[in-house]
Structure formats: structure tokens, C-alpha cells
Amino acid sequence: MNKFDDFKNLLKEDRSIRRFDSSRRVSTDILEKLVELTRYCSSGRNLQPLRYRCVCSEEECREVFPLLAWAGYLTDWPGPEESERPVAYLIQCLDLSLAKDCLCDDGLQLQAITLGARALELGCCILKAFSPQKVADALGIDITKYMPRYVVAVGYPVEKVEIEEMLSDDYKYYRTADHVHHVPKRALSELLIH
Ligand SMILES: Cc1cc2nc3c(=O)[nH]c(=O)nc-3n(C[C@H](O)[C@H](O)[C@H](O)COP(=O)(O)O)c2cc1C
């Protein structure tokens, strides 16, 4: 296979994961390896204003988990049960001494992290549904210096996620009785403006 196909396959495998094997821990070394990938991402003004707080101890994971909102479209699912919770988190923060915004650096870096994680057989979920103040308080982050922007949940996946062709503009993900998570994606023809 050529590099393009390898890359496309990695991207297709890089789905949001919300159920993990909580008995398999992830070390700080692994988290730092993922953060290192962000060094090679493009950066508006080349300012590189994003910082990461690694969370991998059981104690801190227990603090962070209840502050996150999972899978808003799965209204009858309260989020992963104890044995399927993430075993680590990366808290992406903006260094406010450098900038008040980060253009699209945040998204570029999040994608690098999730792709890198997938290449290590890990799964991730990018989360925005949380209170930055509460996450900062839980982890002792000084929010006047480092503003939490995103949380990336990390762990070894125990769920199957499948990409589906999107039909009749129905973009909401769903789960079937066999617990498979389905993610509709728009067709290429819809993405192209003629
Ligand atoms: C900017 C952004 C914010 C997100 N926030 C949340 C969130 O707070 N909670 C959650 O469960 N998933 C969150 N997700 C995951 C999306 O629901 C997921 O990307 C989408 O359903 C498509 O699935 P896929 O990532 O497997 O393609 C977020 C994703 C992105 C890119």
C-alpha cells in the first residue's frame, strides 16, 4: 500500500472512542509521546501557544471523569461505566501569556494526538462539553495562566465504531442493539461545491 492509503486507513480507524478497558493503564511516557507530536503541527504566527497537562493517575482520572459530558446524542446513555472509563486524559490549555486565541492550532494538534494514539492501538475522545474552571480547579491548573480548551480522553478501546454513509442528512451517531457505535459521514459529492 502507498503512503496515502496508509494515512487514509489510519484516519478511518481514528474514531471517537467512549468505552475503554479501564484495567489497562496508560503511562505518562505515552502521553508525553503524544504531546511531542504536536511540536510538528503547523501553528498560526508560529506562536505555538498550546500546553498540555497529562493526567494518568487513578486519583486524578476520578476527579476529571464526572466533569465531562459524553455522547450528547445518546440520550439514554449516561457515559462509560466504571470498568470502561478512560485511563488517562490530556488537557489542552492555551497559554494566555502568549495569546488570547489560537486560530486553528487546537484542532490541528488534537488530530495529531488522536492519530498518533490510534497508531499506538489506543483510542481517544475529544471533549468540549466541560467547564474549564471546574477542570482547572480539579487539577490545580491556574486558569489565569492556562485556559483549558479541550480534554482528550485516552485508553485502550473496547468498543466497535463503524463509519456509515449519511442518508437524508441524518448526522447523529447512534448505537445498535449489538452495542456497535455508528457514525454517519457525508458523501464526497456533498462536500464539493460546484
Ligand atoms: C470539537 C469537538 C468537540 C467534541 N466534544 C465532545 C464532547 O464533549 N463529548 C463527546 O462525547 N464527544 C465529543 N466530540 C466527539 C464527536 O461527537 C465525534 O467526533 C463525532 O461524533 C464524530 O465521530 P468520529 O470522531 O468517530 O468521527 C467532540 C469532537 C470534536 C471534534
Side-chain angles (χ1 to χ4, degrees):
M1 251 197 290
N2 62 34
K3 273 193 189 179
F4 181 84
D5 288 338
D6 285 345
F7 176 68
K8 183 172 164 185
N9 282 334
L10 186 64
L11 198 51
K12 284 168 81 177
E13 281 178 27
D14 179 24
R15 305 278 46 89
S16 293
I17 297 298
R18 298 184 181 86
R19 285 174 290 166
F20 306 88
D21 178 350
S22 67
S23 69
R24 293 182 70 188
R25 306 299 310 173
V26 170
S27 66
T28 314
D29 282 357
I30 298 272
L31 293 183
E32 289 184 3
K33 215 168 150 144
L34 296 177
V35 173
E36 209 236 333
L37 295 176
T38 69
R39 296 182 61 211
Y40 309 108
C41 292
S42 299
S43 173
R45 299 160 280 177
N46 203 28
L47 203 54
Q48 303 162 67
L50 295 170
R51 305 287 177 262
Y52 291 85
R53 169 68 150 80
C54 298
V55 174
C56 59
S57 73
E58 282 186 51
E59 296 70 32
E60 286 195 327
C61 286
R62 223 174 286 125
E63 295 289 322
V64 172
F65 177 77
L67 306 178
L68 307 172
W70 295 86
Y73 296 149
L74 305 182
T75 48
D76 56 352
W77 187 63
E81 59 189 57
E82 184 110 31
S83 62
E84 296 185 341
R85 291 189 182 160
V87 293
Y89 299 94
L90 282 169
I91 318 297
Q92 184 194 64
C93 299
L94 179 63
D95 182 340
L96 297 173
S97 71
L98 287 173
K100 298 284 170 264
D101 72 89
C102 64
L103 302 174
C104 72
D105 284 24
D106 47 7
L108 293 174
Q109 295 197 4
L110 292 169
Q111 186 79 93
I113 287 169
T114 65
L115 284 170
R118 188 77 286 265
L120 295 172
E121 309 286 322
L122 288 160
C124 293
C125 187
I126 296 167
L127 295 116
K128 187 64 167 173
F130 63 89
S131 148
Q133 183 73 62
K134 285 185 182 164
V135 167
D137 288 349
L139 295 170
I141 297 170
D142 180 351
I143 203 169
T144 66
K145 292 193 176 126
Y146 301 114
M147 176 60 72
R149 292 191 58 82
Y150 284 95
V151 173
V152 184
V154 184
Y156 290 93
V158 291
E159 76 174 342
K160 193 167 172 200
V161 181
E162 282 179 3
I163 291 176
E164 307 293 350
E165 292 303 313
M166 190 186 296
L167 304 170
S168 54
D169 209 35
D170 197 353
Y171 52 80
K172 293 186 180 175
Y173 50 76
Y174 56 94
R175 278 205 198 139
T176 39
D178 55 3
H179 304 294
V180 175
H181 184 95
H182 301 268
V183 189
K185 294 290 182 192
R186 294 186 195 279
L188 171 62
S189 56
E190 234 190 296
L191 306 183
L192 300 170
I193 300 171
H194 295 291

PDB file of all heavy atoms in Angstrom, residues 155-189:
ATOM      1  N   GLY A 155      -7.387   5.779  26.186  1.00  0.00           N
ATOM      2  CA  GLY A 155      -7.374   4.433  26.758  1.00  0.00           C
ATOM      3  C   GLY A 155      -7.391   3.397  25.652  1.00  0.00           C
ATOM      4  O   GLY A 155      -7.393   3.741  24.461  1.00  0.00           O
ATOM      5  N   TYR A 156      -7.395   2.124  26.054  1.00  0.00           N
ATOM      6  CA  TYR A 156      -7.481   1.051  25.058  1.00  0.00           C
ATOM      7  C   TYR A 156      -8.950   0.771  24.774  1.00  0.00           C
ATOM      8  O   TYR A 156      -9.721   0.506  25.705  1.00  0.00           O
ATOM      9  CB  TYR A 156      -6.741  -0.188  25.569  1.00  0.00           C
ATOM     10  CG  TYR A 156      -5.244   0.033  25.593  1.00  0.00           C
ATOM     11  CD1 TYR A 156      -4.607   0.491  26.747  1.00  0.00           C
ATOM     12  CD2 TYR A 156      -4.490  -0.149  24.439  1.00  0.00           C
ATOM     13  CE1 TYR A 156      -3.244   0.747  26.751  1.00  0.00           C
ATOM     14  CE2 TYR A 156      -3.119   0.100  24.439  1.00  0.00           C
ATOM     15  CZ  TYR A 156      -2.514   0.546  25.595  1.00  0.00           C
ATOM     16  OH  TYR A 156      -1.165   0.808  25.592  1.00  0.00           O
ATOM     17  N   PRO A 157      -9.349   0.857  23.516  1.00  0.00           N
ATOM     18  CA  PRO A 157     -10.773   0.760  23.179  1.00  0.00           C
ATOM     19  C   PRO A 157     -11.365  -0.622  23.439  1.00  0.00           C
ATOM     20  O   PRO A 157     -10.699  -1.624  23.213  1.00  0.00           O
ATOM     21  CB  PRO A 157     -10.810   1.031  21.669  1.00  0.00           C
ATOM     22  CG  PRO A 157      -9.466   1.510  21.279  1.00  0.00           C
ATOM     23  CD  PRO A 157      -8.507   1.083  22.342  1.00  0.00           C
ATOM     24  N   VAL A 158     -12.611  -0.623  23.904  1.00  0.00           N
ATOM     25  CA  VAL A 158     -13.353  -1.889  23.947  1.00  0.00           C
ATOM     26  C   VAL A 158     -14.655  -1.762  23.161  1.00  0.00           C
ATOM     27  O   VAL A 158     -15.533  -2.587  23.305  1.00  0.00           O
ATOM     28  CB  VAL A 158     -13.681  -2.366  25.391  1.00  0.00           C
ATOM     29  CG1 VAL A 158     -12.433  -2.786  26.129  1.00  0.00           C
ATOM     30  CG2 VAL A 158     -14.474  -1.330  26.174  1.00  0.00           C
ATOM     31  N   GLU A 159     -14.761  -0.705  22.367  1.00  0.00           N
ATOM     32  CA  GLU A 159     -15.992  -0.604  21.581  1.00  0.00           C
ATOM     33  C   GLU A 159     -15.688  -0.604  20.095  1.00  0.00           C
ATOM     34  O   GLU A 159     -14.608  -0.204  19.663  1.00  0.00           O
ATOM     35  CB  GLU A 159     -16.820   0.622  21.963  1.00  0.00           C
ATOM     36  CG  GLU A 159     -16.319   1.933  21.461  1.00  0.00           C
ATOM     37  CD  GLU A 159     -17.303   3.065  21.790  1.00  0.00           C
ATOM     38  OE1 GLU A 159     -18.481   2.790  22.085  1.00  0.00           O
ATOM     39  OE2 GLU A 159     -16.869   4.224  21.747  1.00  0.00           O
ATOM     40  N   LYS A 160     -16.702  -1.081  19.349  1.00  0.00           N
ATOM     41  CA  LYS A 160     -16.570  -1.116  17.892  1.00  0.00           C
ATOM     42  C   LYS A 160     -17.296   0.098  17.342  1.00  0.00           C
ATOM     43  O   LYS A 160     -18.441   0.369  17.726  1.00  0.00           O
ATOM     44  CB  LYS A 160     -17.213  -2.404  17.378  1.00  0.00           C
ATOM     45  CG  LYS A 160     -16.891  -2.707  15.958  1.00  0.00           C
ATOM     46  CD  LYS A 160     -17.276  -4.143  15.614  1.00  0.00           C
ATOM     47  CE  LYS A 160     -17.120  -4.351  14.115  1.00  0.00           C
ATOM     48  NZ  LYS A 160     -17.878  -5.484  13.624  1.00  0.00           N
ATOM     49  N   VAL A 161     -16.615   0.827  16.474  1.00  0.00           N
ATOM     50  CA  VAL A 161     -17.220   2.015  15.863  1.00  0.00           C
ATOM     51  C   VAL A 161     -17.164   1.844  14.354  1.00  0.00           C
ATOM     52  O   VAL A 161     -16.103   1.519  13.815  1.00  0.00           O
ATOM     53  CB  VAL A 161     -16.476   3.304  16.290  1.00  0.00           C
ATOM     54  CG1 VAL A 161     -17.133   4.526  15.670  1.00  0.00           C
ATOM     55  CG2 VAL A 161     -16.438   3.427  17.811  1.00  0.00           C
ATOM     56  N   GLU A 162     -18.292   2.067  13.704  1.00  0.00           N
ATOM     57  CA  GLU A 162     -18.323   1.910  12.247  1.00  0.00           C
ATOM     58  C   GLU A 162     -18.766   3.188  11.563  1.00  0.00           C
ATOM     59  O   GLU A 162     -19.702   3.848  12.018  1.00  0.00           O
ATOM     60  CB  GLU A 162     -19.264   0.766  11.871  1.00  0.00           C
ATOM     61  CG  GLU A 162     -18.590  -0.573  12.097  1.00  0.00           C
ATOM     62  CD  GLU A 162     -19.466  -1.764  11.771  1.00  0.00           C
ATOM     63  OE1 GLU A 162     -20.603  -1.567  11.308  1.00  0.00           O
ATOM     64  OE2 GLU A 162     -18.977  -2.886  12.006  1.00  0.00           O
ATOM     65  N   ILE A 163     -18.096   3.485  10.466  1.00  0.00           N
ATOM     66  CA  ILE A 163     -18.487   4.635   9.651  1.00  0.00           C
ATOM     67  C   ILE A 163     -19.638   4.202   8.741  1.00  0.00           C
ATOM     68  O   ILE A 163     -19.595   3.113   8.172  1.00  0.00           O
ATOM     69  CB  ILE A 163     -17.284   5.116   8.806  1.00  0.00           C
ATOM     70  CG1 ILE A 163     -16.218   5.731   9.724  1.00  0.00           C
ATOM     71  CG2 ILE A 163     -17.727   6.102   7.735  1.00  0.00           C
ATOM     72  CD1 ILE A 163     -14.948   6.143   9.020  1.00  0.00           C
ATOM     73  N   GLU A 164     -20.659   5.043   8.649  1.00  0.00           N
ATOM     74  CA  GLU A 164     -21.807   4.760   7.774  1.00  0.00           C
ATOM     75  C   GLU A 164     -21.945   5.887   6.756  1.00  0.00           C
ATOM     76  O   GLU A 164     -21.584   7.027   7.043  1.00  0.00           O
ATOM     77  CB  GLU A 164     -23.108   4.689   8.599  1.00  0.00           C
ATOM     78  CG  GLU A 164     -23.065   3.746   9.773  1.00  0.00           C
ATOM     79  CD  GLU A 164     -22.964   2.279   9.359  1.00  0.00           C
ATOM     80  OE1 GLU A 164     -23.124   1.987   8.157  1.00  0.00           O
ATOM     81  OE2 GLU A 164     -22.694   1.442  10.246  1.00  0.00           O
ATOM     82  N   GLU A 165     -22.500   5.556   5.607  1.00  0.00           N
ATOM     83  CA  GLU A 165     -22.837   6.604   4.641  1.00  0.00           C
ATOM     84  C   GLU A 165     -23.998   7.404   5.222  1.00  0.00           C
ATOM     85  O   GLU A 165     -24.955   6.812   5.736  1.00  0.00           O
ATOM     86  CB  GLU A 165     -23.278   5.987   3.305  1.00  0.00           C
ATOM     87  CG  GLU A 165     -22.173   5.265   2.554  1.00  0.00           C
ATOM     88  CD  GLU A 165     -20.978   6.165   2.260  1.00  0.00           C
ATOM     89  OE1 GLU A 165     -21.194   7.298   1.782  1.00  0.00           O
ATOM     90  OE2 GLU A 165     -19.833   5.757   2.529  1.00  0.00           O
ATOM     91  N   MET A 166     -23.920   8.723   5.157  1.00  0.00           N
ATOM     92  CA  MET A 166     -25.010   9.523   5.721  1.00  0.00           C
ATOM     93  C   MET A 166     -26.196   9.558   4.748  1.00  0.00           C
ATOM     94  O   MET A 166     -26.033   9.885   3.577  1.00  0.00           O
ATOM     95  CB  MET A 166     -24.552  10.941   6.009  1.00  0.00           C
ATOM     96  CG  MET A 166     -25.586  11.707   6.820  1.00  0.00           C
ATOM     97  SD  MET A 166     -25.178  13.440   7.031  1.00  0.00           S
ATOM     98  CE  MET A 166     -23.685  13.342   7.967  1.00  0.00           C
ATOM     99  N   LEU A 167     -27.366   9.202   5.271  1.00  0.00           N
ATOM    100  CA  LEU A 167     -28.568   9.212   4.439  1.00  0.00           C
ATOM    101  C   LEU A 167     -29.490  10.325   4.933  1.00  0.00           C
ATOM    102  O   LEU A 167     -29.577  10.565   6.132  1.00  0.00           O
ATOM    103  CB  LEU A 167     -29.307   7.864   4.528  1.00  0.00           C
ATOM    104  CG  LEU A 167     -28.476   6.631   4.163  1.00  0.00           C
ATOM    105  CD1 LEU A 167     -29.223   5.355   4.519  1.00  0.00           C
ATOM    106  CD2 LEU A 167     -28.105   6.662   2.686  1.00  0.00           C
ATOM    107  N   SER A 168     -30.144  10.974   4.032  1.00  0.00           N
ATOM    108  CA  SER A 168     -31.135  12.027   4.308  1.00  0.00           C
ATOM    109  C   SER A 168     -30.706  12.996   5.427  1.00  0.00           C
ATOM    110  O   SER A 168     -31.478  13.284   6.340  1.00  0.00           O
ATOM    111  CB  SER A 168     -32.510  11.426   4.614  1.00  0.00           C
ATOM    112  OG  SER A 168     -32.421  10.494   5.655  1.00  0.00           O
ATOM    113  N   ASP A 169     -29.463  13.445   5.354  1.00  0.00           N
ATOM    114  CA  ASP A 169     -28.934  14.473   6.245  1.00  0.00           C
ATOM    115  C   ASP A 169     -29.001  14.120   7.739  1.00  0.00           C
ATOM    116  O   ASP A 169     -29.012  14.991   8.592  1.00  0.00           O
ATOM    117  CB  ASP A 169     -29.654  15.810   5.988  1.00  0.00           C
ATOM    118  CG  ASP A 169     -28.722  16.985   6.304  1.00  0.00           C
ATOM    119  OD1 ASP A 169     -27.500  16.856   6.049  1.00  0.00           O
ATOM    120  OD2 ASP A 169     -29.198  17.999   6.824  1.00  0.00           O
ATOM    121  N   ASP A 170     -29.069  12.842   8.043  1.00  0.00           N
ATOM    122  CA  ASP A 170     -29.145  12.435   9.447  1.00  0.00           C
ATOM    123  C   ASP A 170     -27.725  12.255   9.987  1.00  0.00           C
ATOM    124  O   ASP A 170     -27.100  11.211   9.802  1.00  0.00           O
ATOM    125  CB  ASP A 170     -29.954  11.136   9.571  1.00  0.00           C
ATOM    126  CG  ASP A 170     -30.393  10.917  11.000  1.00  0.00           C
ATOM    127  OD1 ASP A 170     -29.954  11.690  11.887  1.00  0.00           O
ATOM    128  OD2 ASP A 170     -31.170   9.977  11.250  1.00  0.00           O
ATOM    129  N   TYR A 171     -27.224  13.286  10.649  1.00  0.00           N
ATOM    130  CA  TYR A 171     -25.814  13.283  11.063  1.00  0.00           C
ATOM    131  C   TYR A 171     -25.602  12.752  12.475  1.00  0.00           C
ATOM    132  O   TYR A 171     -24.477  12.682  12.951  1.00  0.00           O
ATOM    133  CB  TYR A 171     -25.223  14.702  10.957  1.00  0.00           C
ATOM    134  CG  TYR A 171     -26.043  15.754  11.659  1.00  0.00           C
ATOM    135  CD1 TYR A 171     -25.961  15.924  13.024  1.00  0.00           C
ATOM    136  CD2 TYR A 171     -26.924  16.555  10.932  1.00  0.00           C
ATOM    137  CE1 TYR A 171     -26.731  16.875  13.675  1.00  0.00           C
ATOM    138  CE2 TYR A 171     -27.699  17.515  11.568  1.00  0.00           C
ATOM    139  CZ  TYR A 171     -27.598  17.663  12.942  1.00  0.00           C
ATOM    140  OH  TYR A 171     -28.375  18.600  13.579  1.00  0.00           O
ATOM    141  N   LYS A 172     -26.688  12.389  13.158  1.00  0.00           N
ATOM    142  CA  LYS A 172     -26.497  11.955  14.552  1.00  0.00           C
ATOM    143  C   LYS A 172     -25.960  10.525  14.620  1.00  0.00           C
ATOM    144  O   LYS A 172     -26.505   9.623  13.978  1.00  0.00           O
ATOM    145  CB  LYS A 172     -27.821  12.039  15.305  1.00  0.00           C
ATOM    146  CG  LYS A 172     -28.267  13.472  15.474  1.00  0.00           C
ATOM    147  CD  LYS A 172     -29.493  13.574  16.345  1.00  0.00           C
ATOM    148  CE  LYS A 172     -29.874  15.038  16.478  1.00  0.00           C
ATOM    149  NZ  LYS A 172     -31.115  15.231  17.196  1.00  0.00           N
ATOM    150  N   TYR A 173     -24.918  10.354  15.410  1.00  0.00           N
ATOM    151  CA  TYR A 173     -24.413   8.996  15.621  1.00  0.00           C
ATOM    152  C   TYR A 173     -25.411   8.220  16.455  1.00  0.00           C
ATOM    153  O   TYR A 173     -26.247   8.800  17.151  1.00  0.00           O
ATOM    154  CB  TYR A 173     -23.020   9.032  16.275  1.00  0.00           C
ATOM    155  CG  TYR A 173     -22.907   9.906  17.499  1.00  0.00           C
ATOM    156  CD1 TYR A 173     -23.406   9.510  18.733  1.00  0.00           C
ATOM    157  CD2 TYR A 173     -22.302  11.170  17.414  1.00  0.00           C
ATOM    158  CE1 TYR A 173     -23.303  10.318  19.855  1.00  0.00           C
ATOM    159  CE2 TYR A 173     -22.203  11.984  18.526  1.00  0.00           C
ATOM    160  CZ  TYR A 173     -22.710  11.551  19.741  1.00  0.00           C
ATOM    161  OH  TYR A 173     -22.629  12.360  20.849  1.00  0.00           O
ATOM    162  N   TYR A 174     -25.328   6.896  16.383  1.00  0.00           N
ATOM    163  CA  TYR A 174     -26.291   6.057  17.098  1.00  0.00           C
ATOM    164  C   TYR A 174     -25.634   4.727  17.449  1.00  0.00           C
ATOM    165  O   TYR A 174     -24.580   4.390  16.913  1.00  0.00           O
ATOM    166  CB  TYR A 174     -27.551   5.826  16.257  1.00  0.00           C
ATOM    167  CG  TYR A 174     -27.277   5.218  14.900  1.00  0.00           C
ATOM    168  CD1 TYR A 174     -27.341   3.829  14.707  1.00  0.00           C
ATOM    169  CD2 TYR A 174     -26.911   6.020  13.817  1.00  0.00           C
ATOM    170  CE1 TYR A 174     -27.076   3.269  13.463  1.00  0.00           C
ATOM    171  CE2 TYR A 174     -26.637   5.456  12.576  1.00  0.00           C
ATOM    172  CZ  TYR A 174     -26.720   4.091  12.407  1.00  0.00           C
ATOM    173  OH  TYR A 174     -26.433   3.541  11.176  1.00  0.00           O
ATOM    174  N   ARG A 175     -26.269   4.006  18.367  1.00  0.00           N
ATOM    175  CA  ARG A 175     -25.784   2.672  18.729  1.00  0.00           C
ATOM    176  C   ARG A 175     -26.853   1.646  18.421  1.00  0.00           C
ATOM    177  O   ARG A 175     -28.037   1.912  18.665  1.00  0.00           O
ATOM    178  CB  ARG A 175     -25.465   2.597  20.218  1.00  0.00           C
ATOM    179  CG  ARG A 175     -24.126   3.146  20.462  1.00  0.00           C
ATOM    180  CD  ARG A 175     -23.485   2.602  21.704  1.00  0.00           C
ATOM    181  NE  ARG A 175     -22.426   3.550  22.014  1.00  0.00           N
ATOM    182  CZ  ARG A 175     -22.137   3.957  23.219  1.00  0.00           C
ATOM    183  NH1 ARG A 175     -22.787   3.479  24.254  1.00  0.00           N
ATOM    184  NH2 ARG A 175     -21.180   4.827  23.405  1.00  0.00           N
ATOM    185  N   THR A 176     -26.436   0.494  17.943  1.00  0.00           N
ATOM    186  CA  THR A 176     -27.388  -0.578  17.677  1.00  0.00           C
ATOM    187  C   THR A 176     -27.384  -1.563  18.855  1.00  0.00           C
ATOM    188  O   THR A 176     -26.533  -1.468  19.745  1.00  0.00           O
ATOM    189  CB  THR A 176     -27.040  -1.278  16.345  1.00  0.00           C
ATOM    190  OG1 THR A 176     -25.618  -1.390  16.234  1.00  0.00           O
ATOM    191  CG2 THR A 176     -27.559  -0.480  15.162  1.00  0.00           C
ATOM    192  N   ALA A 177     -28.349  -2.493  18.833  1.00  0.00           N
ATOM    193  CA  ALA A 177     -28.531  -3.408  19.966  1.00  0.00           C
ATOM    194  C   ALA A 177     -27.270  -4.241  20.244  1.00  0.00           C
ATOM    195  O   ALA A 177     -27.056  -4.670  21.385  1.00  0.00           O
ATOM    196  CB  ALA A 177     -29.715  -4.320  19.694  1.00  0.00           C
ATOM    197  N   ASP A 178     -26.441  -4.430  19.215  1.00  0.00           N
ATOM    198  CA  ASP A 178     -25.193  -5.191  19.416  1.00  0.00           C
ATOM    199  C   ASP A 178     -24.082  -4.317  20.004  1.00  0.00           C
ATOM    200  O   ASP A 178     -22.917  -4.712  20.023  1.00  0.00           O
ATOM    201  CB  ASP A 178     -24.732  -5.808  18.088  1.00  0.00           C
ATOM    202  CG  ASP A 178     -24.575  -4.747  16.998  1.00  0.00           C
ATOM    203  OD1 ASP A 178     -24.762  -3.542  17.298  1.00  0.00           O
ATOM    204  OD2 ASP A 178     -24.272  -5.126  15.848  1.00  0.00           O
ATOM    205  N   HIS A 179     -24.443  -3.097  20.464  1.00  0.00           N
ATOM    206  CA  HIS A 179     -23.517  -2.143  21.120  1.00  0.00           C
ATOM    207  C   HIS A 179     -22.526  -1.502  20.160  1.00  0.00           C
ATOM    208  O   HIS A 179     -21.581  -0.848  20.602  1.00  0.00           O
ATOM    209  CB  HIS A 179     -22.760  -2.800  22.286  1.00  0.00           C
ATOM    210  CG  HIS A 179     -23.664  -3.400  23.308  1.00  0.00           C
ATOM    211  ND1 HIS A 179     -24.503  -2.645  24.093  1.00  0.00           N
ATOM    212  CD2 HIS A 179     -23.898  -4.694  23.646  1.00  0.00           C
ATOM    213  CE1 HIS A 179     -25.201  -3.454  24.873  1.00  0.00           C
ATOM    214  NE2 HIS A 179     -24.863  -4.697  24.624  1.00  0.00           N
ATOM    215  N   VAL A 180     -22.701  -1.726  18.870  1.00  0.00           N
ATOM    216  CA  VAL A 180     -21.803  -1.073  17.902  1.00  0.00           C
ATOM    217  C   VAL A 180     -22.231   0.394  17.763  1.00  0.00           C
ATOM    218  O   VAL A 180     -23.432   0.707  17.710  1.00  0.00           O
ATOM    219  CB  VAL A 180     -21.845  -1.787  16.530  1.00  0.00           C
ATOM    220  CG1 VAL A 180     -21.005  -1.026  15.506  1.00  0.00           C
ATOM    221  CG2 VAL A 180     -21.350  -3.227  16.678  1.00  0.00           C
ATOM    222  N   HIS A 181     -21.237   1.271  17.763  1.00  0.00           N
ATOM    223  CA  HIS A 181     -21.472   2.711  17.622  1.00  0.00           C
ATOM    224  C   HIS A 181     -21.328   3.057  16.133  1.00  0.00           C
ATOM    225  O   HIS A 181     -20.333   2.682  15.512  1.00  0.00           O
ATOM    226  CB  HIS A 181     -20.425   3.447  18.462  1.00  0.00           C
ATOM    227  CG  HIS A 181     -20.603   4.927  18.502  1.00  0.00           C
ATOM    228  ND1 HIS A 181     -21.276   5.573  19.515  1.00  0.00           N
ATOM    229  CD2 HIS A 181     -20.180   5.890  17.656  1.00  0.00           C
ATOM    230  CE1 HIS A 181     -21.260   6.878  19.284  1.00  0.00           C
ATOM    231  NE2 HIS A 181     -20.604   7.103  18.159  1.00  0.00           N
ATOM    232  N   HIS A 182     -22.310   3.751  15.565  1.00  0.00           N
ATOM    233  CA  HIS A 182     -22.296   4.059  14.131  1.00  0.00           C
ATOM    234  C   HIS A 182     -22.180   5.567  13.923  1.00  0.00           C
ATOM    235  O   HIS A 182     -22.904   6.341  14.553  1.00  0.00           O
ATOM    236  CB  HIS A 182     -23.584   3.556  13.474  1.00  0.00           C
ATOM    237  CG  HIS A 182     -23.792   2.077  13.639  1.00  0.00           C
ATOM    238  ND1 HIS A 182     -23.355   1.157  12.714  1.00  0.00           N
ATOM    239  CD2 HIS A 182     -24.371   1.368  14.649  1.00  0.00           C
ATOM    240  CE1 HIS A 182     -23.668  -0.068  13.139  1.00  0.00           C
ATOM    241  NE2 HIS A 182     -24.285   0.031  14.309  1.00  0.00           N
ATOM    242  N   VAL A 183     -21.258   5.951  13.034  1.00  0.00           N
ATOM    243  CA  VAL A 183     -21.011   7.377  12.788  1.00  0.00           C
ATOM    244  C   VAL A 183     -21.274   7.700  11.316  1.00  0.00           C
ATOM    245  O   VAL A 183     -20.487   7.319  10.442  1.00  0.00           O
ATOM    246  CB  VAL A 183     -19.544   7.754  13.099  1.00  0.00           C
ATOM    247  CG1 VAL A 183     -19.361   9.260  13.051  1.00  0.00           C
ATOM    248  CG2 VAL A 183     -19.136   7.233  14.453  1.00  0.00           C
ATOM    249  N   PRO A 184     -22.371   8.417  11.031  1.00  0.00           N
ATOM    250  CA  PRO A 184     -22.645   8.778   9.639  1.00  0.00           C
ATOM    251  C   PRO A 184     -21.683   9.852   9.145  1.00  0.00           C
ATOM    252  O   PRO A 184     -21.402  10.813   9.856  1.00  0.00           O
ATOM    253  CB  PRO A 184     -24.084   9.335   9.693  1.00  0.00           C
ATOM    254  CG  PRO A 184     -24.611   9.000  11.052  1.00  0.00           C
ATOM    255  CD  PRO A 184     -23.429   8.876  11.951  1.00  0.00           C
ATOM    256  N   LYS A 185     -21.178   9.658   7.944  1.00  0.00           N
ATOM    257  CA  LYS A 185     -20.294  10.660   7.323  1.00  0.00           C
ATOM    258  C   LYS A 185     -20.890  11.065   5.969  1.00  0.00           C
ATOM    259  O   LYS A 185     -21.387  10.221   5.223  1.00  0.00           O
ATOM    260  CB  LYS A 185     -18.887  10.075   7.105  1.00  0.00           C
ATOM    261  CG  LYS A 185     -18.147   9.745   8.411  1.00  0.00           C
ATOM    262  CD  LYS A 185     -17.733  10.983   9.179  1.00  0.00           C
ATOM    263  CE  LYS A 185     -16.956  10.656  10.443  1.00  0.00           C
ATOM    264  NZ  LYS A 185     -16.800  11.821  11.332  1.00  0.00           N
ATOM    265  N   ARG A 186     -20.802  12.343   5.683  1.00  0.00           N
ATOM    266  CA  ARG A 186     -21.343  12.851   4.418  1.00  0.00           C
ATOM    267  C   ARG A 186     -20.542  12.305   3.226  1.00  0.00           C
ATOM    268  O   ARG A 186     -19.338  12.089   3.342  1.00  0.00           O
ATOM    269  CB  ARG A 186     -21.277  14.382   4.391  1.00  0.00           C
ATOM    270  CG  ARG A 186     -22.173  15.045   5.413  1.00  0.00           C
ATOM    271  CD  ARG A 186     -22.183  16.560   5.256  1.00  0.00           C
ATOM    272  NE  ARG A 186     -22.756  17.193   6.435  1.00  0.00           N
ATOM    273  CZ  ARG A 186     -24.067  17.307   6.666  1.00  0.00           C
ATOM    274  NH1 ARG A 186     -24.937  16.844   5.783  1.00  0.00           N
ATOM    275  NH2 ARG A 186     -24.510  17.885   7.770  1.00  0.00           N
ATOM    276  N   ALA A 187     -21.225  12.155   2.101  1.00  0.00           N
ATOM    277  CA  ALA A 187     -20.571  11.670   0.883  1.00  0.00           C
ATOM    278  C   ALA A 187     -19.663  12.759   0.317  1.00  0.00           C
ATOM    279  O   ALA A 187     -19.923  13.957   0.530  1.00  0.00           O
ATOM    280  CB  ALA A 187     -21.623  11.289  -0.151  1.00  0.00           C
ATOM    281  N   LEU A 188     -18.635  12.357  -0.398  1.00  0.00           N
ATOM    282  CA  LEU A 188     -17.717  13.309  -1.030  1.00  0.00           C
ATOM    283  C   LEU A 188     -18.480  14.304  -1.898  1.00  0.00           C
ATOM    284  O   LEU A 188     -18.197  15.506  -1.881  1.00  0.00           O
ATOM    285  CB  LEU A 188     -16.684  12.536  -1.869  1.00  0.00           C
ATOM    286  CG  LEU A 188     -15.780  13.377  -2.764  1.00  0.00           C
ATOM    287  CD1 LEU A 188     -14.916  14.335  -1.937  1.00  0.00           C
ATOM    288  CD2 LEU A 188     -14.894  12.478  -3.635  1.00  0.00           C
ATOM    289  N   SER A 189     -19.472  13.818  -2.629  1.00  0.00           N
ATOM    290  CA  SER A 189     -20.223  14.691  -3.544  1.00  0.00           C
ATOM    291  C   SER A 189     -20.882  15.851  -2.794  1.00  0.00           C
ATOM    292  O   SER A 189     -21.095  16.915  -3.351  1.00  0.00           O
ATOM    293  CB  SER A 189     -21.271  13.878  -4.295  1.00  0.00           C
ATOM    294  OG  SER A 189     -22.100  13.224  -3.362  1.00  0.00           O
TER     295      SER A 189
END
